[in-house]
Amino acid sequence: MKKTEIIEGYLGYMRESIEAVEKTRAKRLKETFPLMSLEEREKILKKFHPDYKEEAKRPAKVGPNKGDLMPHEVADLLEAYPLAKPKDIDLSKVDFDVDILIIGGGGAGMTAALWANYTGANAETILIVQKLRLGDSNSIMSQGGVQAADKPNDGPGLHYLDVMGGGHFTNDKKLARRLVSDAPMLIKWHEDLGVIYDKESDGTMVTIHGGGTCRKRMHSARDYTGLEIVRSLKDEVLNKNISVLEFTSAVELLTDEQKQVAGAVLYNMETQEYYVAKAKSTILTTGGFGRLHIQGFPTTNHYGATADGIILAYRVGAKLRDLDAVQYHPTGAAYPEQIVGLLVTEKVRGLGAQPVNKNGEQFVYPREPRDVEASAIIRECYKRNNGIETPTGMKGVWLDSPMIEILQGEGTIAKKLPAMLRQYKRFDIDMTQDPILVFPTLHFQNGGVIVKENAETTVQGLFAAGEVTGGTHGKNRLMGNSILDYSVFGRIAGINAAKYAKKAKIGKLTLNHVTKYKKMLKEAGIETDRKAPILLPEYRGEKVLSRTLEIF
Amino acid sequence: MSEEKNPMATIYIMGKAYKVPNTLTIMKAIEYAGYRFIRSCGCRGGFCGSCTTFYRVKNDYKLYVDLACQKRVEDEMYIVQLPFMPAEKPKWDIDKMKPTTDEVIRVFPEIARCLSCNVCTEACPQDIEVMRAIQALRRGDLEDVVNLTFDCISCGACSIRCPAEITHYQVFQLARRLHGKYETIPAKHLMERVKEIEKGNFDDKMSKLMDMNVEKLKQLYKKREIEK
Ligand SMILES: Cc1cc2nc3c(=O)[nH]c(=O)nc-3n(C[C@H](O)[C@H](O)[C@H](O)COP(=O)(O)OP(=O)(O)OC[C@H]3O[C@@H](n4cnc5c(N)ncnc54)[C@H](O)[C@@H]3O)c2cc1C
Ligand code: SF4
Ligand code: SF4
Ligand code: FES
């Protein structure tokens, strides 16, 4: 066997390690590595979790959260200058005059639009602006499922305990209560729309555990849960004739003299033209920040997850929270290079696959909380040097997926994890026969814009829902609670924005807050040519970038 | 990434040649070459269907199609992307429809024009048996359509190749919604829980939890029984 020869997807030297994994498999099927004690957990987190690295964060220098610690990548954007100069934008010409402007067309945005419509806002008075195509978002990528306490042995109280415990009791209690109390209603709504959840033949929902749940309450649609929900929402948004502006981003919010939010400056990503969109209420549903690649981590997130929402909100004075808490998913793909960072859903471990090192040994209980599991994998690779190095120099550990077929029966992977199986097959790896290589990946923005129970931010006229907000999950979200989050609070934002729009009176449009923000940056001595929001990550080849000329 | 370690491939992006590391996906190769995506890039993970890409390779007459974010480049690959599938979205009111395949065919009469050429199936990057699904529709088996097409990511590859000009992904969307809404049995436990919550059955308990101090909440959390 040549070390660099590729055999069924893996290089020769990897095959040698796989043989070690196969050797220990029979024994491992009978024993599981023990759970850590709370003390052990604390110790490993402090030493190995990326969030605990002090040098990776700094206090914000300006704005409502001045002094709060956040990752450099986020602070860099808050301490960056606006994309457009206020004087270049003619606010006297309004291109879109609507009641409700929804910024971001993922799960939260579309849910808000539909519920605003049900609440009486006419479809033509609602506008969704979306950076990519409608629905191309983190929402369409979620695989595992959505939580709701709808089984007889479960209830909102138990769900609440799980949410709070998962968030290390740092959550906003009111938001958490709302999340769990409205959960069944939203799943019912999906059911009425025709979303096909996995069910028994008598209609009973098939539900399983997720990390940190005390009851089996994870509802799924195979491992295409996000896809199935999003395509149904999208279909309905289009059926209702709600206006959508694709490939257009919000680059700045607008305010009036009363300092209430009054719409946004939009930017056509293709023609580079700006538009003025005036609105009586504005809903921010821009999702998270995975594409900032915090601490250089790869990410599971979609192309447009660049933190635009928090930047825009911050400039009009909205307060943020918990941005220092970043969720790394313990198992992102580490090999092959083509799919590095993409999610290997928790379900794989849920169905019985164990993480093992290059010698085929277990080193952690397979279902520790996400942050603990991720830390153990980092330790195994970088402290104990028991990881498997890939040709690009990345390290990872094995996730012994063939165990699933042994434990749950042949064909289980094809039935329960079709997306996963397909993804690896494309690169000649058969995860029913061979283990897959994983390493933690940047997954979720735990914190965000502060909202009240009615989805209002701390600034008048501005609502927010979904991953862009903070509080519901505190410092750590549990799997299955963010589809729920965008459903519950998307709905509330839609309803309340529609009600608010009925009464709101918008005065003269201004960008005074932007001018003020710039002044604040100058006064804080921030001299930089950084601009924000960044809208899209930069992935062009280094050689090309170093030679580009801006001629036209 | 040094060039010695990674052999390079020559690809032609809309006719223009570029040298790129041969380990990259088509998507990353296009970026490596210096393009910045605005369209034809969404999830980057095989879920959204926005990166549909057609290609040919040298000495092969066949036209292939795949997802740019999932397909690795090959040497001498000629690439063009499908940034947008031109098609009107027919509007429907799902509440007023019946779960029959006739309903679907009424909205999409072109289904009757299917030539059974199977080009759609060959085009599908998700390995969906597209033609079989269309035939299941004509046979009147809605559930079969749903099972065959559940993994459809609406990439449009089948539709752009179809001589009968069917927009399959829209057809399948309607089929799935009709099946989901009318042919699956509503979950009884869900309906009951929604009613219980509406009636306020849990209000007292929730209020108590809300008023509890963190220490007590932590005790409850630790003591909770985990369902087997
Ligand atoms: C791979 C993956 C798997 C996941 N699995 C699960 C799971 O199993 N269960 C679960 O509960 N959660 C899961 N999550 C998390 C969950 O999917 C997200 O947190 C949730 O969908 C966020 O919804 P959202 O609507 O707030 O944001 P998004 O769905 O990301 O939508 C935001 C949209 O706004 C657009 N946008 C951004 N900035 C602008 C701008 N300036 N102007 C206009 N538009 C803009 C974006 O492009 C995007 O389309 C997963 C996430 C990922 C990435
Ligand atoms: S069925 Fe058609 S639209 Fe759906 S994934 Fe396959 S080729 Fe794409
Ligand atoms: S490509 Fe069109 S005509 Fe050919 S089998 Fe498929 S649906 Fe029928
Ligand atoms: S970018 Fe979403 S499928 Fe390729």
Side-chain angles (χ1 to χ4, degrees):
Chain A
M1 180 155 52
K2 275 220 311 264
K3 294 235 176 223
T4 52
E5 188 190 350
I6 297 184
I7 307 142
E8 282 169 23
Y10 287 115
L11 291 158
Y13 74 92
M14 296 175 143
R15 283 267 153 226
E16 282 168 20
S17 172
I18 290 177
E19 277 171 21
V21 173
E22 285 167 349
K23 269 205 195 112
T24 58
R25 190 174 289 144
K27 197 164 145 241
R28 283 185 289 105
L29 277 164
K30 285 182 248 145
E31 55 187 40
T32 305
F33 201 85
L35 263 166
M36 280 185 222
S37 68
L38 287 178
E39 294 73 43
E40 281 172 309
R41 279 185 185 172
E42 222 177 291
K43 234 169 91 192
I44 196 170
L45 282 175
K46 285 225 171 89
K47 265 186 114 165
F48 295 100
H49 195 275
D51 264 1
Y52 289 79
K53 260 197 199 149
E54 273 170 31
E55 65 275 19
K57 290 178 200 175
R58 69 170 191 261
K61 271 197 194 142
V62 295
N65 289 74
K66 191 171 162 179
D68 289 0
L69 275 184
M70 38 191 88
H72 292 301
E73 292 81 356
V74 176
D76 276 351
L77 294 185
L78 293 180
E79 295 165 8
Y81 284 84
L83 285 178
K85 293 194 184 84
K87 68 170 175 36
D88 293 342
I89 292 166
D90 180 0
L91 294 176
S92 68
K93 292 205 184 71
V94 173
D95 301 282
F96 302 93
D97 194 345
V98 294
D99 286 351
I100 303 166
L101 176 69
I102 299 175
I103 304 173
M110 292 195 285
T111 304
L114 287 170
W115 282 92
N117 186 232
Y118 301 157
T119 310
N122 284 332
E124 58 270 26
T125 65
I126 305 172
L127 175 65
I128 303 180
V129 287
Q130 164 64 352
K131 176 152 62 181
L132 306 165
R133 292 188 317 181
L134 184 63
D136 293 354
S137 59
N138 279 5
S139 298
I140 207 167
M141 306 182 77
S142 47
Q143 308 172 13
V146 48
Q147 290 196 39
D150 59 7
K151 290 283 174 82
N153 70 347
D154 202 358
L158 287 172
H159 193 175
Y160 179 80
L161 275 182
D162 287 348
V163 174
M164 297 295 292
H168 311 306
F169 303 93
T170 55
N171 320 47
D172 178 322
K173 293 195 285 185
K174 284 189 184 154
L175 296 181
R177 176 183 183 166
R178 203 59 207 255
L179 182 81
V180 301
S181 305
D182 286 3
M185 185 209 326
L186 271 302
I187 303 290
K188 180 88 193 77
W189 176 56
H190 287 166
E191 205 185 40
D192 290 341
L193 285 176
V195 171
I196 304 171
Y197 280 109
D198 295 341
K199 286 182 179 178
E200 314 278 1
S201 53
D202 67 349
T204 306
M205 294 277 183
V206 175
T207 52
I208 61 168
H209 270 304
T213 54
C214 69
R215 292 289 180 277
K216 296 182 177 169
R217 71 168 83 85
M218 192 74 62
H219 302 59
S220 52
R222 307 189 190 179
D223 62 348
Y224 282 112
T225 313
L227 174 67
E228 171 61 2
I229 298 173
V230 164
R231 65 192 174 195
S232 307
L233 295 176
K234 179 172 173 178
D235 184 45
E236 205 51 18
V237 164
L238 298 176
N239 286 336
K240 297 273 184 216
N241 283 315
I242 292 167
S243 332
V244 184
L245 211 55
E246 292 181 322
F247 303 105
T248 304
S249 297
V251 293
E252 212 67 78
L253 292 171
L254 290 167
T255 49
D256 69 1
E257 312 98 320
Q258 312 302 321
K259 294 192 178 147
Q260 59 180 341
V261 171
V265 179
L266 313 180
Y267 175 77
N268 181 327
M269 301 287 283
E270 291 170 311
T271 63
Q272 307 190 323
E273 181 185 4
Y274 77 81
Y275 308 118
V276 175
K278 180 178 173 186
K280 292 182 180 144
S281 40
T282 303
I283 312 179
L284 209 50
T285 48
T286 48
F289 64 16
R291 290 282 157 190
L292 299 187
H293 294 291
I294 291 170
Q295 294 190 44
F297 272 84
T299 184
T300 60
N301 284 196
H302 84 289
Y303 190 44
T306 51
D308 304 354
I310 47 181
I311 310 303
L312 266 51
Y314 204 62
R315 288 197 186 140
V316 293
K319 247 196 120 166
L320 316 173
R321 58 171 286 176
D322 296 330
L323 280 167
D324 58 324
V326 178
Q327 186 166 87
Y328 298 88
H329 196 290
T331 58
Y335 180 88
E337 190 202 344
Q338 294 86 350
I339 57 168
V340 163
L342 292 188
L343 184 66
V344 173
T345 168
E346 206 168 277
K347 232 177 166 178
V348 178
R349 276 172 294 139
L351 290 168
Q354 293 167 344
V356 290
N357 65 22
K358 68 173 177 199
N359 307 318
E361 301 151 344
Q362 291 190 72
F363 56 90
V364 64
Y365 178 76
R367 285 183 310 283
E368 293 279 2
R370 280 193 175 166
D371 41 2
V372 177
E373 190 85 16
S375 306
I377 294 175
I378 294 172
R379 176 176 70 185
E380 200 61 20
C381 289
Y382 286 94
K383 176 80 195 301
R384 297 179 173 167
N385 228 349
N386 282 332
I388 298 92
E389 192 167 325
T390 73
T392 55
M394 200 180 163
K395 285 185 185 178
V397 296
W398 296 114
L399 194 54
D400 198 9
S401 47
M403 289 179 74
I404 298 176
E405 300 279 291
I406 302 172
L407 287 167
Q408 320 267 351
E410 243 174 74
T412 306
I413 294 182
K415 214 162 81 206
K416 300 214 162 144
L417 300 162
M420 210 72 266
L421 181 65
R422 175 175 290 124
Q423 186 147 66
Y424 279 97
K425 271 236 169 94
R426 286 176 182 281
F427 301 100
D428 297 325
I429 292 170
D430 182 354
M431 67 182 284
T432 66
Q433 300 300 318
D434 284 323
I436 52 182
L437 203 63
V438 296
F439 192 76
T441 176
L442 173 50
H443 191 47
F444 186 76
Q445 173 184 309
N446 288 310
V449 181
I450 291 183
V451 283
K452 287 179 276 192
E453 233 189 312
N454 62 2
E456 242 177 336
T457 66
T458 51
V459 180
Q460 219 187 343
L462 183 65
F463 299 78
E467 196 168 334
V468 71
T469 66
T472 311
H473 311 289
K475 295 218 182 269
N476 180 49
R477 167 201 71 124
L478 296 185
M479 171 201 170
N481 279 340
S482 37
I483 298 181
L484 185 59
D485 184 1
Y486 80 60
S487 303
V488 167
F489 291 101
R491 170 181 169 273
I492 295 175
I495 294 174
N496 288 328
K499 287 185 184 155
Y500 183 88
K502 285 221 174 87
K503 301 177 301 193
K505 291 216 164 48
I506 302 293
K508 195 166 162 274
L509 298 180
T510 83
L511 280 167
N512 291 346
H513 59 283
V514 178
T515 315
K516 226 176 89 193
Y517 197 85
K518 272 168 75 175
K519 209 171 132 225
M520 206 158 67
L521 292 173
K522 285 250 159 64
E523 281 168 6
I526 297 166
E527 297 287 342
T528 171
D529 44 19
R530 277 194 312 267
K531 296 251 168 88
I534 57 170
L535 306 179
L536 293 173
E538 177 59 83
Y539 292 141
R540 285 177 287 180
E542 273 161 39
K543 193 168 136 218
V544 179
L545 280 175
S546 68
R547 297 167 65 92
T548 50
L549 296 177
E550 284 196 21
I551 295 177
F552 53 43
Chain B
M1 220 178 299
S2 72
E3 299 198 2
E4 307 83 64
K5 238 171 107 187
N6 288 295
M8 305 295 272
T10 302
I11 60 168
Y12 299 85
I13 302 171
M14 291 180 283
K16 235 176 180 165
Y18 295 93
K19 272 200 175 351
V20 300
N22 78 354
T23 52
L24 298 182
T25 56
I26 295 176
M27 179 168 283
K28 288 183 182 169
I30 292 175
E31 288 172 332
Y32 179 92
Y35 292 78
R36 195 171 191 187
F37 285 108
I38 291 171
R39 285 180 186 264
S40 295
C41 177
C43 67
R44 302 181 75 99
F47 286 93
C48 75
S50 71
C51 63
T52 316
T53 301
F54 287 84
Y55 66 91
R56 278 198 167 89
V57 284
K58 206 175 181 175
N59 297 327
D60 187 351
Y61 67 90
K62 268 193 83 165
L63 181 64
Y64 296 93
V65 55
D66 214 325
L67 303 173
C69 70
Q70 299 292 300
K71 172 74 189 166
R72 188 175 153 170
V73 290
E74 289 167 33
D75 199 28
E76 302 286 332
M77 197 181 214
Y78 303 83
I79 295 169
V80 72
Q81 295 198 291
L82 173 67
F84 166 73
M85 179 68 203
E88 191 190 340
K89 157 81 177 81
K91 311 275 153 94
W92 45 69
D93 183 348
I94 207 85
D95 292 332
K96 296 200 177 116
M97 295 175 91
K98 283 193 213 67
T100 63
T101 48
D102 285 351
E103 232 13 5
V104 182
I105 294 171
R106 189 177 54 74
V107 182
F108 300 100
E110 59 275 19
I111 289 172
R113 298 174 53 206
C114 172
L115 311 167
S116 307
C117 66
N118 211 26
V119 169
C120 48
T121 309
E122 278 162 35
C124 180
Q126 292 285 88
D127 299 327
I128 289 167
E129 293 181 84
V130 191
M131 181 180 82
R132 251 185 78 191
I134 292 292
Q135 284 166 352
L137 255 174
R138 297 171 70 178
R139 230 183 29 243
D141 191 342
L142 202 56
E143 187 170 356
D144 207 22
V145 181
V146 172
N147 285 329
L148 284 167
T149 68
F150 200 81
D151 299 359
C152 170
I153 55 172
S154 304
C155 72
C158 53
S159 308
I160 210 152
R161 299 284 277 142
C162 174
E165 286 150 314
I166 297 168
T167 50
H168 310 72
Y169 56 96
Q170 297 190 339
V171 174
F172 301 153
Q173 182 62 47
L174 179 55
R176 276 190 306 267
R177 286 201 63 195
L178 287 175
H179 173 74
K181 186 168 173 64
Y182 296 107
E183 288 188 337
T184 61
I185 302 175
K188 224 172 110 203
H189 58 90
L190 175 62
M191 216 158 3
E192 275 160 15
R193 181 55 44 83
V194 171
K195 271 194 212 133
E196 286 166 1
I197 291 175
E198 269 170 12
K199 272 198 244 147
N201 293 9
F202 297 97
D203 287 358
D204 287 350
K205 202 171 162 210
M206 289 308 293
S207 300
K208 258 197 213 132
L209 280 171
M210 299 279 292
D211 294 339
M212 219 172 259
N213 66 35
V214 172
E215 277 321 306
K216 245 180 131 187
L217 209 58
K218 274 188 184 163
Q219 288 309 321
L220 271 185
Y221 179 71
K222 275 190 208 149
K223 275 202 310 226
R224 77 207 202 290
E225 223 173 275
I226 312 284
E227 179 180 358
K228 279 265 158 28

